[in-house]
């Protein structure tokens, strides 16, 4: 038997392999498990606290699948009207949908049902929040560069699908809050020119609220979207293994190696512990923090309006766009167009699409076709960092717009003042955030340069022979010096003079001119501080330069 060492018994006769060994040999001969494990289980993973965001995404997604599978055993996606006769007395005798009744039954009669329901809802919120944090970590550090552009698109698609899955999920209970959200979504669908009315009738099965929307959202929520997301998660992880993990600059770390701990047994042990930690935190949140108490909110009634109704946080962005948009309306040729709803409804995916397309835009501007496995420090890419902070500030402003009624009632402010603040802030705040962030990044680059050349301030003041007082600086360790100077500084694209020596005008494509302008803005003298060179460092430490 090739590849196997025969064991000898007490009398020198070979001992036949055990059942487990035979099963392992059978599987390895057909699936190549041993070869795969030998090459992949010793994969090296670097260690940094920011990498945990991706793990939280994965673990919360697994928890969503586990808790969601439990809830499907008891939930009935039907809008058929029934008379509630359960244990919750305030609802007795009310006409409610079967979906709402089963949700209340899960919360009051199923053993552990309320805990699982709340863990599921909290895990959904954490899942989207962790995805956003993970993508912002990838964005700010430049981890999306070649060869990881496709993986960036996988992550962006997961974020977008996570938002849509959350919308379909909290619409299922058919309570007053979810019904208000569906009414909001239906209004956005109706704003679509020409096809809006037909699409609304198709989805809802007639006039709002119809009779089919819950039954149609249910398979989308539990099968279609989770199935696509599961496939994307698997593809995402496969590419992470294939490309190897990114790492921050440091001694011994290059573009061709990874410094860290092996996947098995070190990383897998840490990951397993972190999974149970995430599960435990979500279980505590589900046990002590009430979320979406449908029995207290009540069933949805189209003729009722719920005050203070707010979507889950990740949809506050879109709600803010629509709430603060002026109520424009156009009547032409017997048709009514609603740009006051359609424009923000279209802006929401367009703004997200800009984030998805950014890696390709940056690669086009740089013209850099090399692979990158060393991460940038955000301060060393001030334009990119400024754009990311501007996007987050826009998100924050629109979140205020999405809750303008609650801001007005809780802080005793005029809702009109808040609305106008958001309208103006939509254009002003991202610009201010970009300029401030850009300036802060340049300041941090200056500080890094000074630390490299002069060392760290020790706090010790020394008097020189001629009476001057100076602070003594301690030289940085070699590892710290390397970390602060390991980054590359991109040179802006130069297209040369537009007129040659003979006075002939060169034909330069407009795309190349645009690339040159963008390149100067992103990598020109105003976008980066020249890092310290070995010659400058040696000159100062030999006493040839300024010691202060």
């Amino acid at each position: 038997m090739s590849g196997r060492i025969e064991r000898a018994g007490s009398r020198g006769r070979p001992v036949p392999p055990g059942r487990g060994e035979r099963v392992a040999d059978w599987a390895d001969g057909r699936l190549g498990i041993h070869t795969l494990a030998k090459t992949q289980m010793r994969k090296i993973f670097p260690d940094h606290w920011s990498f945990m965001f991706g793990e939280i995404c994965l673990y919360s997604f697994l928890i969503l699948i586990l808790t969601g599978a439990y809830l499907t055993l008891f939930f009935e996606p039907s809008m058929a009207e029934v008379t509630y006769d359960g244990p919750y007395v305030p609802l007795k005798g009310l006409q409610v949908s079967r979906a709402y009744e089963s949700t209340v039954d899960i919360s009051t009669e199923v053993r552990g049902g309320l805990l699982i329901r709340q863990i599921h809802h909290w895990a959904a919120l954490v899942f989207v929040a962790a995805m956003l944090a993970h993508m912002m970590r990838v964005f700010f550090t430049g981890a999306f560069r070649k060869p990881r552009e496709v993986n960036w698109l996988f992550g962006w698609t997961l974020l977008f699908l996570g938002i849509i899955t959350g919308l379909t999920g909290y619409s299922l209970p058919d309570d007053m809050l979810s019904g208000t959200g569906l009414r909001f979504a239906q209004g956005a669908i109706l704003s679509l020119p020409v096809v809006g009315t037909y699409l609304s009738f198709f989805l809802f099965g007639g006039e709002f609220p119809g009779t089919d929307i819950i039954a149609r959202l249910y398979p989308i929520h539990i099968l279609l979207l989770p199935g696509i997301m599961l496939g994307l998660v698997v593809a995402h992880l496969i590419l992470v293994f294939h490309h190897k993990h990114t790492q921050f600059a440091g001694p011994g770390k290059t573009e061709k190696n990874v410094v860290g701990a092996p996947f098995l047994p070190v990383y897998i042990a840490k990951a397993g512990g972190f999974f149970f930690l995430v599960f435990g935190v979500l279980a505590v949140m589900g046990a002590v923090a009430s979320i979406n108490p449908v029995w207290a909110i009540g069933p949805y009634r189209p003729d009722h309006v719920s005050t203070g109704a707010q979507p889950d946080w990740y949809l506050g962005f879109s709600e803010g766009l629509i709430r603060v948009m002026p109520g424009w309306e156009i009547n032409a040729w017997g048709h009514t167009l609603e740009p006051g709803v359609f424009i923000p409804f279209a802006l929401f995916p367009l703004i997200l699409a800009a984030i998805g397309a950014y890696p390709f835009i940056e690669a086009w501007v740089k013209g850099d076709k090399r692979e990158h496995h060393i991460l940038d420090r955000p301060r060393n890419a001030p334009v990119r960092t400024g754009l990311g902070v501007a996007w987050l500030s826009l998100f924050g402003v629109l979140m205020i717009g999405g809750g303008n009624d609650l801001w007005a009632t809780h802080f005793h402010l005029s809702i009109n003042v808040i609305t106008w603040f958001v309208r103006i802030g939509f254009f002003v705040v991202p610009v201010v955030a970009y300029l401030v962030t850009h300036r802060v990044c340049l300041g941090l680059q200056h500080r890094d340069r000074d630390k490299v050349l002069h060392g760290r301030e020790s706090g010790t003041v020394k008097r020189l022979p001629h009476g001057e007082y100076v602070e003594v600086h301690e030289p940085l360790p070699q590892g710290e010096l390397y970390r602060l100077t390991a980054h590359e500084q991109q040179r802006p694209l130069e297209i040369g003079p537009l007129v040659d020596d003979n006075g002939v005008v060169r034909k330069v494509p407009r795309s190349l001119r645009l690339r040159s302008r963008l390149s100067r803005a992103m990598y020109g003298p105003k976008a980066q501080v020249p890092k310290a060179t070995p010659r400058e460092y040696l000159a100062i430490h030999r006493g040839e330069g300024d010691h202060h």
Side-chain angles (χ1 to χ4, degrees), residues 129-148:
M131 279 198 295
L132 180 61
H134 178 59
M135 288 197 69
M136 287 297 100
R137 195 275 300 175
V138 172
F139 181 84
F140 286 128
T141 59
F144 52 74
R145 293 171 295 176
K146 184 183 178 180
R148 297 176 179 83

Side-chain angles (χ1 to χ4, degrees), residues 36 79 115 130-131 172 219 234 236 246 263 283 299 320 327 339 353 375 377 396 411 443 473 477 486 502 513:
L36 180 65
M79 296 184 71
L115 176 63
M131 279 198 295
L172 292 178
V234 173
H236 187 78
T246 53
F263 182 73
L375 298 173
R377 299 175 76 200
F411 293 96
H473 286 68
N502 297 322
R513 294 188 183 189

Side-chain angles (χ1 to χ4, degrees), residues 504-518:
V504 179
V505 178
R506 293 173 52 211
K507 293 183 178 180
V508 180
R510 291 184 179 180
S511 60
L512 185 58
R513 294 188 183 189
L514 177 61
R515 277 185 61 194
S516 177
R517 293 191 188 99
L518 293 175

Side-chain angles (χ1 to χ4, degrees), residues 62-199:
L62 295 177
I63 293 167
L64 279 170
I65 293 176
L66 294 173
T67 54
Y70 182 81
L71 294 175
T72 58
L73 301 176
F74 308 99
F75 180 74
E76 295 187 28
S78 171
M79 296 184 71
E81 285 197 351
V82 296
T83 302
Y84 181 78
D85 192 29
Y88 189 67
V89 176
L91 292 176
K92 279 188 176 294
L94 287 181
Q95 292 291 313
V96 300
S97 68
R98 187 69 191 98
Y100 179 80
E101 183 186 45
S102 63
T103 305
V104 176
D105 288 344
I106 290 173
S107 304
T108 57
E109 296 191 74
V110 175
R111 188 180 297 274
L114 179 59
L115 176 63
I116 298 299
R117 230 191 101 233
Q118 298 204 144
I119 291 176
H120 187 75
H121 203 144
W122 279 118
L125 299 180
V126 171
F127 175 55
V128 181
M131 279 198 295
L132 180 61
H134 178 59
M135 288 197 69
M136 287 297 100
R137 195 275 300 175
V138 172
F139 181 84
F140 286 128
T141 59
F144 52 74
R145 293 171 295 176
K146 184 183 178 180
R148 297 176 179 83
E149 301 98 331
V150 174
N151 226 8
W152 168 266
L153 290 180
F154 284 168
W156 180 89
T157 306
L158 280 168
L159 177 62
F160 193 78
L161 291 180
I163 293 173
I164 303 302
T165 307
L167 172 63
T168 59
Y170 74 64
S171 299
L172 292 178
D174 200 30
D175 63 307
M176 195 66 194
L177 184 62
S178 66
T180 304
L182 280 176
R183 186 58 154 171
F184 174 88
Q186 192 243 1
I189 293 172
L190 287 176
S191 70
L192 295 173
V194 183
V195 299
T197 304
Y198 300 100
L199 188 58

Side-chain angles (χ1 to χ4, degrees), residues 365-366 488-494 519-520 522-524 528:
V365 171
K366 293 173 64 175
E488 294 183 353
Q489 291 193 314
Q490 180 78 19
R491 292 185 177 181
L493 175 66
E494 299 292 344
S519 180
R520 285 197 301 271
M522 295 179 69
Y523 308 109
Q528 53 188 1

Side-chain angles (χ1 to χ4, degrees), residues 352-375:
L352 289 178
I355 297 294
Y358 180 83
F360 303 94
I361 297 173
E362 182 176 297
W364 175 72
V365 171
K366 293 173 64 175
D368 185 7
K369 300 184 183 300
R370 298 172 301 160
E371 291 192 1
H372 294 273
H373 304 288
I374 298 295
L375 298 173

Side-chain angles (χ1 to χ4, degrees), residues 395-425:
F395 184 89
V397 168
L398 292 175
M399 284 284 287
I400 295 175
N404 57 0
D405 53 342
L406 294 182
W407 283 89
T409 55
H410 282 67
F411 293 96
H412 307 290
L413 300 172
S414 168
I415 194 170
N416 292 326
V417 171
I418 297 173
T419 301
W420 274 103
F421 165 78
V422 175
R423 288 175 177 173
I424 298 172

